[in-house]
Structure formats: C-alpha cells, structure tokens
Amino acid sequence: MHEGVVSLKGHSVEDADLAGQIAEMDSFVPQMHNPDSVESLRLTLSWWLIAVGRMWGKLLDQRLQSSFQTQPRWRALAWARMKPGITQQEMARRMQVSGPTLARILDGLEKKGLIVRRTDPRDRRLKEVYLDEKAHDLVAEISLKVASVRDEVLGDISEEELRAFLSTLSKIRKGLVAATK
C-alpha cells in the first residue's frame, strides 16, 4: 500500500490528510499532567468528538466522489427525501448551515435536475424542496454508500455500547444547548 494510504475494511483512503488523521488520532489530543483526571477526560473527549466528526465527513465525501456528490449535497437530498416539501429555512436549520449556503447547494442540485423548489402555498416567502423523479435512483445509490460507511465504522460496536454512547451524546447536546442560551 502507498505511503499515506490507510485501508478501512477493504477501501483505500487516498486522502493523505484523512489517512494521517486516522493513523495518528492520539496526536489531536493535548496531553495533560494528570491524564486520569476528570478535566483530562473531558478535554480528551471534546477533542475526539471534533476530530471524529471531521474524519467522518471527509470519509463520506471521499466515498461519494464517484456519485459526484459532496456530503452537504447528499444531506440536502436526504432531507428532501425524508421530508418532502421541507422548507429551505427548516432544511438550513437542520443541516446547521446558513440560508445563503444552502441556497447555493440547492441551486446546484436544481441545475442538475435533482430537486424542485416550489413556493409554499400558505406563505409565498417560503420555498419547499422536493426530490425530482430522476433523483430517486441517485439517492438510493448514495444511501447505500453512506450505510456502508456507517456499517464499516460502527460495525464492531455492540447495541449496548451504541445505546450508552447515544445517551452520553444526548447529555452533551443538552449541555451545548444550555451553553448557547
């Protein structure tokens, strides 16, 4: 295997930056004088959450390249599939992007004939987003790729561990919400 390439269950990770992050995850975490302290554990967890989220996104982007999609485009398509008629405003909030950023993403998807935007009949200021007919096969293909990544990455984690981790993430989310008020 070439230098800077990491194998992830049969797939090569060509992105040297991503490969380096996967191989040297510990280098992201600042070292503390007392590594067993609660403060050190909290610091380590916060750094790992940030690094793992970024790596997940980069891996998805890499796997979606063959579908000519990026993670933001796929997420927009996924929201249009899960919630037909979702407003641009709600989609931007759920994707945690600005309205203008989402508008550029949707402009590109609309030009490719993958989505349709319609004016909300109840409020003409709002635009609803729908998948175009020709997007369904592409969305199904992308969904399989995303599920494959999810299965590869999370495959060795038991249901009990997943439930415990989700419970912990829920508490972290509540802390984030409280900190932004």
Side-chain angles (χ1 to χ4, degrees), residues 17-158:
D17 182 47
L18 179 58
Q21 288 178 27
I22 291 170
E24 299 176 19
M25 187 68 162
D26 290 332
S27 68
F28 284 109
V29 181
Q31 299 302 309
M32 304 268 308
H33 294 292
N34 183 358
D36 294 326
S37 70
V38 171
E39 178 186 1
S40 178
L41 292 171
R42 287 178 175 163
L43 176 67
T44 300
L45 177 62
S46 65
W47 281 76
W48 275 77
L49 285 172
I50 292 165
V52 167
R54 287 183 178 155
M55 289 187 331
W56 189 291
K58 286 182 179 184
L59 182 59
L60 282 174
D61 280 344
Q62 183 196 50
R63 296 284 176 86
L64 296 176
Q65 278 179 345
S66 64
S67 301
F68 305 104
Q69 297 301 318
T70 62
Q71 187 187 158
R73 287 183 197 145
W74 175 81
R75 290 175 58 216
L77 290 170
W79 277 113
R81 182 191 72 191
M82 291 184 293
K83 289 193 69 156
I86 187 172
T87 64
Q88 284 187 213
Q89 185 178 27
E90 182 181 356
M91 186 183 288
R93 184 180 59 78
R94 289 177 181 263
M95 290 178 59
Q96 297 179 336
V97 298
S98 68
T101 297
L102 179 64
R104 283 190 299 276
I105 293 166
L106 295 177
D107 287 345
L109 293 172
E110 194 168 41
K111 283 179 187 171
K112 292 178 188 255
L114 299 174
I115 62 149
V116 175
R117 289 186 271 193
R118 298 182 191 139
T119 302
D120 183 329
R122 296 170 306 261
D123 186 341
R124 296 181 51 81
R125 296 171 296 173
L126 299 176
K127 296 289 184 193
E128 299 173 332
V129 181
Y130 298 88
L131 284 183
D132 193 279
E133 274 303 310
K134 73 182 201 179
H136 291 281
D137 288 343
L138 176 64
V139 170
E141 172 191 328
I142 291 170
S143 295
L144 288 173
K145 289 179 182 180
V146 171
S148 174
V149 168
R150 190 172 45 243
D151 291 345
E152 285 178 52
V153 174
L154 302 177
D156 293 335
I157 302 172
S158 72

